[in-house]
């Protein structure tokens, strides 16, 4: 995720970052400009066409298309924001769990270090699970919980959470943690799986295919029929007009596509790497 100052207007206006849709859409903008120029030459210089009210239809359709794009953007942003809330919950609940364990466990109990590493590994595994998958060798090894322990596992976060439950149950069996305290720990432990399940729901449930397909077709038809009418009224000035309209409409769709799956490594995705580092530092300080 990119950090920036939203009040720095001039820097943002003239900035060109790899996440800027202008870079991604530049070939399309050039193609639309050339296409509009060809249509303008054919209609004005060869056929000398003289249609009337050529922009009325596109004005009406443009309003409807704008409403569709607003809905598309809001839906994508809702998914992005829900993902951010879930990862904020990871931060809060990991702190709460660590604070409770710090209070419940003696300072010299080795389970403190074991649980700290397991919780850290769980957050890291959750982050990678939502991307391209977890590589066991990147997890922090600890006794029996080494790379071999996680090998051939389809859902590594589940296995780590199972190990956390087992370690805490052992503490309860050894009467280091009482039953009442075990109940107090249960909420944070359960919230980890709930949060990850919410993230998986966002990632594995994209915008319905029919809706996405329809919207792209409408944008394509709208932009590529626009020069036919606009060049009669605006002549060759239709070239920048159509190019700008294409950039605006297509950019909204491209941005929505990027943020609707917010757990990757794109520039506008959630900063899960920095969130993981924050949680790791908190656990090291508390436990």
């Amino acid at each position: 995720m990119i950090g920036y100052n939203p009040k720095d207007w001039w820097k943002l206006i003239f900035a060109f970052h790899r996440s800027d849709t202008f870079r991604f859409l530049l070939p399309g903008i050039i193609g639309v400009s050339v296409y509009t120029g060809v249509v303008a030459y054919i209609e004005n210089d060869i056929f000398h066409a003289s249609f009337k009210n050529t922009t009325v239809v596109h004005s009406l359709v443009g309003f409807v298309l704008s409403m569709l794009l607003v809905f598309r953007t809001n839906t994508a942003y809702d998914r992005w924001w829900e993902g951010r809330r879930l990862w904020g919950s990871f931060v809060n609940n990991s702190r709460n769990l660590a604070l409770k364990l710090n209070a419940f466990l003696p300072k010299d109990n080795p389970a403190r270090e074991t649980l700290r590493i397991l919780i850290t590994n769980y957050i890291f595994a959750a982050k990678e699970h939502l991307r391209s998958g977890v590589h066991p060798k990147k997890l922090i090894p600890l006794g029996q919980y080494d790379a071999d322990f996680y090998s051939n596992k389809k859902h590594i976060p589940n296995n780590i959470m199972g190990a956390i439950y087992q370690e805490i149950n052992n503490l309860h069996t050894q009467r280091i943690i009482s039953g009442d305290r075990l109940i107090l720990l249960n909420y944070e432990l359960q919230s980890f799986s709930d949060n990850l399940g919410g993230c998986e729901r966002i990632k594995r449930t994209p915008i319905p295919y029919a809706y996405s397909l329809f919207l792209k077709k409408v944008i394509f038809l709208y932009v590529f029929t626009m020069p036919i009418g606009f060049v009669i009224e605006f002549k060759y000035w239709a070239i920048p007009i159509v190019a700008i309209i294409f950039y605006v409409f297509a950019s909204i769709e491209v941005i929505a596509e990027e943020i609707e799956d917010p757990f990757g490594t794109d520039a506008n995705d959630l900063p899960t790497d920095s969130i993981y580092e924050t949680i790791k530092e908190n656990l090291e300080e508390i436990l």
Side-chain angles (χ1 to χ4, degrees), residues 91-162:
V91 176
N92 296 336
N93 292 329
S94 63
R95 288 171 179 168
N96 290 332
L97 178 60
L99 289 169
K100 290 178 180 179
L101 290 172
N102 181 55
F104 296 164
L105 298 179
K107 297 296 182 181
D108 58 347
N109 194 308
R112 296 168 62 93
E113 179 72 3
T114 301
L115 289 170
R116 179 186 69 81
I117 292 178
L118 286 175
I119 297 170
T120 301
N121 280 343
Y122 181 85
I123 301 299
F124 179 83
K127 172 176 69 75
E128 295 298 311
H129 173 73
L130 295 170
R131 293 179 178 177
S132 57
V134 186
H135 298 285
K137 292 184 178 180
K138 292 184 178 180
L139 298 172
I140 303 173
L142 176 68
Q144 61 175 323
Y145 306 118
D146 54 9
D148 293 334
F149 177 81
Y150 303 111
S151 62
N152 300 321
K153 299 294 192 304
K154 293 183 179 180
H155 200 291
I156 292 181
N158 278 349
N159 287 274
I160 299 176
M161 184 51 61

Side-chain angles (χ1 to χ4, degrees), residues 27-41 224 227 236 239-240 242-243:
I29 294 173
I30 295 174
V32 168
S33 300
V34 172
Y35 167 71
T36 305
V38 171
V39 173
Y41 174 75
F224 278 84
Y236 285 97
I239 296 176
V242 174

